[in-house]
Amino acid sequence: MRMDREKMTVNKDLRRERERCTFNPIELTYFLDGGPDKTKERRDREQFFLSDPELKDLIPTRYKSHKEVYEDAIRKACKMLEKVRMLQDKGKAGMDLFVLVLGGMFGSAVLKDGNPLLVHYAMFIPAIMGQGTPQQQAYWVSRCWDGSIVGTYAQTELGHGTFIRGLETTATYDPATREFVLNSPTLTSYKWWPGGLGHTANYAVVVAQLYTKGECRGIHPFVVQLRDENTHEPLPGIKIGEIGTKLGMNATNNGFLGFNSVRIPRENMLMKNSQVLEDGTYVKAVNDKLTYGTMMFVRVVLVKDITGYLSKAVTITTRYSAVRRQCQINTDEPEVQIIDYVTQQYKIFPTLAACFTFRMCADWIWNMYNNVTAELDQGELDRLPELHALSCCLKAVASADAATGIEQLRLACGGHGYMDASNLPAIYGLVTAVCTYEGENTVLLLQTARYLVKTWKQAVSGQSLPVTVQYLTQLAKGIKQPPWQNTLECIIMAHQAVAAGKICLATENMDRRIRSGISPEDAWNQTSIELASCSEAHCRVFLVTRFAEFVKETTTVSKELHEVLSQLCELYAIYWVLQKLGDFLRFSTLTKKDVPVLQARLEDLLAAIRPNAIGIVDGFDIRDEVLGSALGAYDGNVYERLFAEAMKSPLNQKSVNESFHKYLKPYLKSNL
């Protein structure tokens, strides 16, 4: 594939951009992958999948019916799994490859509108691994691996999503038969949204309210068979189907599910944490938060996926901006590349910096998740609240920023960005969905806020704090920030001051409301705008701090690449100061006279990044097949590719459409 690039006829503007880059993009590629060997492994794997003719689209997805999109997605997903098995037989694949191939940036290259089998690997198996006993894991996971069953994770209901405690599906234990009886007592209790549930999965991990000995014990997970393993017909008492078309992800096969006195064996309750004994005695989990492990896992994975989507979008827009020439800066000169407009750089480069920020933070929290999970297995729960709070706000902020960023990148491509051929609408459809699934963003921010309020009070009382909130300790003691300096260190401290100031103020306002006689619950609701803002500010502290630490710790790259990384880091930090200027003037030592200097520094950074922008996105090393964009291909032949895509339209297969003879011609001849 890289040899093919050497043979390409590359757009002259794009070729000149690559010649003026101050660093070698392959160095960035090796750095992001973890070394030349890792890059080769990734490229070989991509070639193994993407060169398969059965995984290529003869007809673009956008011209297919909803039914055809789903059926084609099933065909491709099964083919991809077959190829993963081939790698597995050679000892080259683990569970991570299943999730990588079926989801995220690479998966969306083949399955452009979502994957009906992804939830099986990303949620069904992890739920069993995280919440099943060793015996349950051995039985169910072996059936998952040998292809006997396909599962999904059925939690969200038509009437309840993020508020898990409000779920209405019931699982009542019958000690006479040693079975649980599942029911959907209302229409709103129908499961709604699980990927693959519509027509793909024959099993599900179902989250339901457990009743035993006449008492509700709260939500618990159960493995439930939905369809006959041979005929795939729904089992008695199961009402199941697909929920219909959406803004994006229309091949995901999201479904609905209702139960009418469906019986399952006692052993089908996942009992790693809580248990129901044969006589119906309930044994409570040590910590009820342990049941949320699957959700945390998915949120951590989502941040990695968000980074991939954002990298694709910014690559498309950056390359297009180097090729597209529009208007004049000076009237006596030719039309300029639109990337030379500072407003265009301002639309693109902060999002380019965000790709690095999210990637570094995703890697950091992934390591934290693995460490905390290992600690949980040893009965250590100390870091669970910190991980939960961080995964909530990071998923919320990263998905919201990515959705906003991709929409801005689409607008930066003008009318051509509106076309499906740009692939920007599809990428936006994938990333904006993340804002609501696996926890709606505002609710997640408020979950983080509960942790922050509690932590702030601990800081005020002098208690030691976990690493991601240690910055609160100094500020809780009233230690003042030094006078403003336009340095990265000062800017990071200012982010900390903003977050701490907001947390302090929100806590005080909530306590004031409680003292006035308002209930704690109502006081929380009335302060919730401030509380959500606290969580966003806290997340931005983590983002800028981790990016800066990452650049500081990076000592193995060339001076030229290190300078680029430093520029992106500083740009990201300054950008958010200027975006949230009121907060920084209010809570940090930033003054009005400092703002023009900061604005000038941002513009200097845009100019510094400009010569290397193409080199940076080239360093992401995203294949044309993965980008799937007429605007963003490596050769920059935008107009030829747009025309070729237009000719794939079914309306262009005949010079005269049959509607002319049926409707338009009679109208034209009617002498109205």
Side-chain angles (χ1 to χ4, degrees), residues 381-425:
L381 308 176
D382 293 349
R383 291 208 294 165
L384 185 61
E386 182 189 19
L387 173 62
H388 178 253
L390 190 58
S391 67
C392 284
C393 69
L394 189 57
K395 179 268 183 186
V397 171
S399 61
D401 284 2
T404 301
I406 291 170
E407 173 63 358
Q408 184 165 272
L409 292 168
R410 182 188 69 77
L411 292 170
C413 292
H416 293 331
Y418 192 67
M419 296 188 67
D420 280 329
S422 75
N423 202 28
L424 291 169

Side-chain angles (χ1 to χ4, degrees), residues 47 117 140 183 218 352 575 602 620:
Q47 181 67 13
L117 290 176
W140 290 110
N183 276 292
L352 181 58
Y575 175 82
L602 177 132
F620 292 156

